[in-house]
Each structure stands twice: as C-alpha cells, then as structure tokens.
Amino acid sequence: MATGARAWNQRGDAVEDPNSEDIRALLFGLTGTNRFAIVERLDVENDQHYMQAYLRDDGTYWLEYREGDADAHFQTSSRNLGLMCQAFTMWLYRLPGWREPFDWHRWSDESALEHSDSEALDGEPTG
C-alpha cells in the first residue's frame, strides 16, 4: 500500500512509501551516531508535514510533528520506543488517537529547552 510518504534517518537510510516495519526499523536503529529519524508526507500541499524522533544523550527521545505552518508544530519527549513506533505508524496511516499518549507542547526554541527536561518518560505529563 502506497503511503505517500518518505522516511529517512541521519545515517542516510531512506525508504519510499514506508510501512510500519520500516518505521520500527528506523526508530529502533537510533544510536549516538544515528540520532534522528523523519517521516515526511509527500501527498500534501507543502513539505512541512512530518514527524521526527531525536535520540538525546540521556536516552530520552524528543518527538515533534508539524502539519503545515508554524502554528501546527508540536513537541514532546518519551522513553517508550514502542509507543513512539505506534504513534508514528498511526500518524503515517492517518489513524485517530496517535496524539493522546503524549503531552504535546507548541514548538518554539524556548519551549523546546523548557519542556525537554520536564516531560514524563513514558508519554505522560510529570506534573
């Protein structure tokens, strides 16, 4: 099934029309020298529709997604790689409910620094 998407990582591995197995392989392949994976929608009006995971030094993953303009750009963090794979796959196939396990915050350089250390590590808010 064509997903109208492309996925790649820092190392340069790329997959056209990725499926859930491809997403899982890219996310579980993140390391200290291969820190990010991105899934980008190709079937939308601009190139600002994507989901990204970034492996931080402390072992947490920083997730972000953007659905068009800057007002639709959000972030969170988690240690639960399985939950992240599920969210990426649900996002890819446009299934409802992929946002719910996480406490998302609007993206900004300042909020990225503030929230990166205050998020729960399993997708739940700490406060």
Side-chain angles (χ1 to χ4, degrees):
M1 174 204 294
T3 57
R6 175 179 40 229
W8 72 94
N9 61 19
Q10 182 178 8
R11 201 172 40 222
D13 303 326
V15 180
E16 298 293 327
D17 289 320
N19 60 33
S20 60
E21 316 287 316
D22 298 322
I23 300 296
R24 185 172 183 78
L26 286 170
L27 292 176
F28 274 87
L30 296 178
T31 67
T33 58
N34 184 38
R35 290 192 180 266
F36 68 82
I38 299 171
V39 179
E40 173 186 33
R41 290 198 196 288
L42 302 176
D43 60 352
V44 291
E45 67 277 2
N46 66 45
D47 64 353
Q48 295 299 308
H49 291 257
Y50 61 86
M51 183 173 264
Q52 173 174 262
Y54 177 84
L55 175 61
R56 297 179 49 202
D57 287 338
D58 66 359
T60 60
Y61 296 89
W62 194 348
L63 279 73
E64 84 179 80
Y65 76 91
R66 183 167 173 154
E67 295 181 331
D69 61 28
D71 290 338
H73 193 184
F74 297 90
Q75 66 194 20
T76 192
S77 62
S78 178
R79 281 194 194 269
N80 190 330
L81 200 49
L83 191 60
M84 288 173 40
C85 286
Q86 180 181 2
F88 266 76
T89 299
M90 291 174 72
W91 178 86
L92 176 65
Y93 290 107
R94 292 181 167 91
L95 299 174
W98 62 266
R99 290 178 188 91
E100 280 72 10
F102 304 99
D103 185 22
W104 296 96
H105 299 274
R106 192 168 305 280
W107 173 271
S108 76
D109 291 337
E110 293 79 28
S111 69
L113 295 173
E114 290 171 17
H115 296 302
S116 64
D117 293 324
S118 64
E119 297 305 307
L121 301 179
D122 291 320
E124 297 296 324
T126 56

